[in-house]
Amino acid sequence: MNSIFNRDLWKEILESINSNGFRTLITAFGVFWGIFILVLLLSASNGFQNGVQRQFDGMSTNTVFVWSQTITKAYKGNPKNRRYSFNVGDAEAIRRNIKGLKTVSPRNRLGGWGGSTIITHEMNTGSYLVEADYPEILTQRSLKIKEGRFINQSDIEKKRKIAVLGWAIISELYEPGEEVIGSYIKIQGVSFKVVGVYKDVSINGRKNIDEQKNIHVPFTTFSQVFNRGDKVGFFMITGVDDIPITDVKEDILALIRKRHDIHPEDDRAVGNWDFNKFLQKFNQLFIALKAVSYFVGIMILGSGVIGISNIMLIVIKERTKEIGVRRALGAKPSSIRRQILLESLFLTLFAGMAGVSFAAFVTFLVNLFIDSKYPEGDAMLYNASIDLPTVGISLVILVICGLIAGFIPAQTAIKIKPIEALRTD
């Protein structure tokens, strides 16, 4: 008789709940709505996090960009406000002295940041960005080769005048049906042979057609043809997967300052943008959103728990004589307490699981709508989902709430004296 799996015990609980079904339904709605809001907010938070992270698909997020700026402090006899340039030797020094790096890519551009240069093919002319790269840039950016090939190490060593075009350039420089691979383009009057066509398959590439109009040439060829010597415009440096680039960034900057006789405390002389740190700030935002979701959901759920507790007190009052008879026949206080707690727990869990199921259904409909409106997957809310940890946490919250809701009524019930209960009309 003391087991919670006792058939008669659960029969009594169900009869008590069904004795006033409408009242029970209204009371349980508070728990249903509270857990629904909680789970829906957590699902939306997951979807927002997925959407933001998807915006950076195809990019090495454990990356820092480093470029030279004006020196702001005099040091070792050198005046402030002077300009300096990175060089190829910096790349070798960074690879040799800084541990935890996967790729160090020196890069140059024609046209500067956001700029472009005139490109011609036969009688057609266009203005595009020319980027000088090493082959390893493919490990840092999502450039998928559609035709031909990308730059290889042999191109770098032999300084071949070859180029890889973005697919969106083809329609502007070439006639329909014209062969692209093996043709020639001119960059500032210098002929380059086209050996490949690429497509930027990242989210940014799909959203921004200009990302599909860049031209990639070997770094060494670029330096020779356009008289850059060993100068480097900027570095794209990626850390190994298990070491955040943020942890080694200061070592990189300190090494560059040392190599170019820059004051160790001149933080403005070496420009940098830490992609990893940028995403960490987003992650902190997501943690805050989830904390707010839990706070709001639990506050709403609390009102439902109060409702269940109140209704259980009413039930106790209505069943005072019944409880008195049971006590007179020898029922222990623990058995009375157990029944009240199980009744409260069952009602809370039933309403809560219904709320979780409804939240899952609404989330499913939202995902269908987003997928149909944004087939490219570039919405800020993407794949909103209710994961197993969320369901598990919701279940724990419901159990705690159910026990809290039944505790006061249960204590009230066991304080009822049999003689006084039997006198009650």
Side-chain angles (χ1 to χ4, degrees):
M1 289 293 294
N2 292 330
S3 173
I4 64 171
F5 299 106
N6 183 274
R7 184 175 180 179
D8 293 333
L9 174 62
W10 283 102
K11 185 177 179 180
E12 289 182 21
I13 290 174
L14 293 176
E15 287 177 352
S16 175
I17 292 175
N18 290 330
S19 62
N20 196 326
F22 182 74
R23 182 179 67 186
T24 301
L25 183 65
I26 294 300
T27 303
F29 181 78
V31 173
F32 168 87
W33 188 249
I35 204 69
F36 168 75
I37 294 297
L38 171 61
V39 174
L40 198 64
L41 287 173
L42 290 174
S43 175
S45 178
N46 288 336
F48 179 58
Q49 183 173 5
N50 292 337
V52 170
Q53 290 177 343
R54 189 172 172 80
Q55 301 303 308
F56 305 113
D57 275 358
M59 299 183 67
S60 296
T61 55
N62 193 27
T63 296
V64 62
F65 297 83
V66 182
W67 62 92
S68 62
Q69 298 186 147
T70 301
I71 294 173
T72 61
K73 292 184 178 182
Y75 185 62
K76 290 186 176 180
N78 296 312
K80 64 178 183 178
N81 298 324
R82 64 184 176 92
R83 296 288 301 182
Y84 71 102
S85 298
F86 294 152
N87 55 60
V88 176
D90 293 331
E92 293 301 323
I94 293 171
R95 293 189 188 102
R96 186 172 59 254
N97 294 286
I98 307 298
K99 305 300 182 183
L101 301 182
K102 180 189 294 183
T103 308
V104 180
S105 293
R107 306 190 70 193
N108 274 322
R109 284 176 170 173
L110 272 182
W113 295 100
S116 58
T117 192
I118 301 299
I119 309 297
T120 59
H121 169 67
E122 304 294 346
M123 301 299 294
N124 299 319
T125 301
S127 183
Y128 309 105
L129 179 65
V130 178
E131 298 186 291
D133 287 309
Y134 282 84
E136 52 264 35
I137 194 66
L138 289 181
T139 66
Q140 298 171 301
R141 294 187 58 191
S142 282
L143 305 181
K144 182 179 180 180
I145 301 301
K146 294 184 63 178
E147 297 180 61
R149 64 176 178 83
F150 196 68
I151 300 164
N152 58 38
Q153 190 60 36
S154 180
D155 297 326
I156 296 293
E157 294 172 356
K158 297 180 180 180
K159 301 179 182 178
R160 291 177 179 146
K161 295 177 184 176
I162 58 101
V164 181
L165 312 182
W167 66 268
I169 295 177
I170 308 303
S171 61
E172 298 179 4
L173 289 184
Y174 290 81
E175 301 298 327
E178 185 179 357
E179 187 66 35
V180 177
I181 304 300
S183 65
Y184 287 84
I185 61 171
K186 287 188 176 182
I187 304 174
Q188 292 189 352
V190 180
S191 293
F192 283 76
K193 183 179 181 179
V194 178
V195 299
V197 176
Y198 79 87
K199 179 180 181 180
D200 189 332
V201 296
S202 67
I203 288 291
N204 186 48
R206 292 203 296 267
K207 292 169 60 176
N208 186 0
I209 190 63
D210 288 337
E211 294 295 322
Q212 312 288 357
K213 293 183 177 181
N214 296 342
I215 299 173
H216 295 264
V217 301
F219 185 91
T220 51
T221 308
F222 182 98
S223 298
Q224 183 181 64
V225 170
F226 301 109
N227 299 317
R228 296 296 180 93
D230 66 346
K231 292 182 180 179
V232 174
F234 65 103
F235 290 109
M236 188 173 177
I237 305 172
T238 302
V240 296
D241 295 338
D242 57 341
I243 299 179
I245 193 66
T246 306
D247 293 350
V248 298
K249 180 183 68 176
E250 288 304 321
D251 293 336
I252 296 172
L253 301 182
L255 177 61
I256 291 175
R257 293 191 195 101
K258 182 178 180 181
R259 286 180 53 83
H260 292 274
D261 292 333
I262 299 172
H263 195 288
E265 297 179 0
D266 191 349
D267 296 329
R268 300 175 64 181
V270 185
N272 67 90
W273 185 68
D274 189 340
F275 204 168
N276 178 67
K277 189 174 182 179
F278 174 75
L279 290 182
Q280 285 180 350
K281 291 181 180 179
F282 268 110
N283 289 333
Q284 292 172 358
L285 172 62
F286 300 140
I287 292 173
L289 283 176
K290 289 183 179 180
V292 171
S293 299
Y294 276 113
F295 178 78
V296 173
I298 290 175
M299 289 299 101
I300 298 175
L301 188 59
S303 63
V305 170
I306 293 172
I308 288 182
S309 185
N310 287 335
I311 204 67
M312 292 300 296
L313 287 171
I314 295 174
V315 169
I316 296 300
K317 186 175 182 180
E318 293 175 346
R319 296 169 58 188
T320 299
K321 181 173 288 189
E322 174 194 333
I323 294 172
V325 171
R326 291 179 60 187
R327 291 293 306 277
L329 293 175
K332 295 181 178 179
S334 60
S335 65
I336 302 295
R337 182 189 293 111
R338 183 186 301 111
Q339 181 175 345
I340 301 301
L341 287 175
L342 286 176
E343 188 172 329
S344 172
L345 186 59
F346 175 79
L347 189 59
T348 303
L349 284 175
F350 182 80
M353 287 298 99
V356 172
S357 300
F358 187 59
F361 177 68
V362 172
T363 299
F364 172 74
L365 294 180
V366 170
N367 285 333
L368 280 182
F369 172 76
I370 291 176
D371 290 344
S372 63
K373 190 168 183 180
Y374 302 94
E376 293 291 333
D378 56 351
M380 289 304 293
L381 187 70
Y382 174 75
N383 193 26
S385 59
I386 302 172
D387 50 23
L388 287 178
T390 299
V391 175
I393 292 173
S394 301
L395 183 62
V396 171
I397 291 174
L398 288 172
V399 170
I400 293 173
C401 289
L403 294 175
I404 292 174
F407 179 76
I408 295 177
Q411 292 300 109
T412 302
I414 63 176
K415 290 179 180 178
I416 296 176
K417 297 180 179 180
I419 295 178
E420 294 177 359
L422 292 174
R423 291 174 180 173
T424 303
D425 294 328

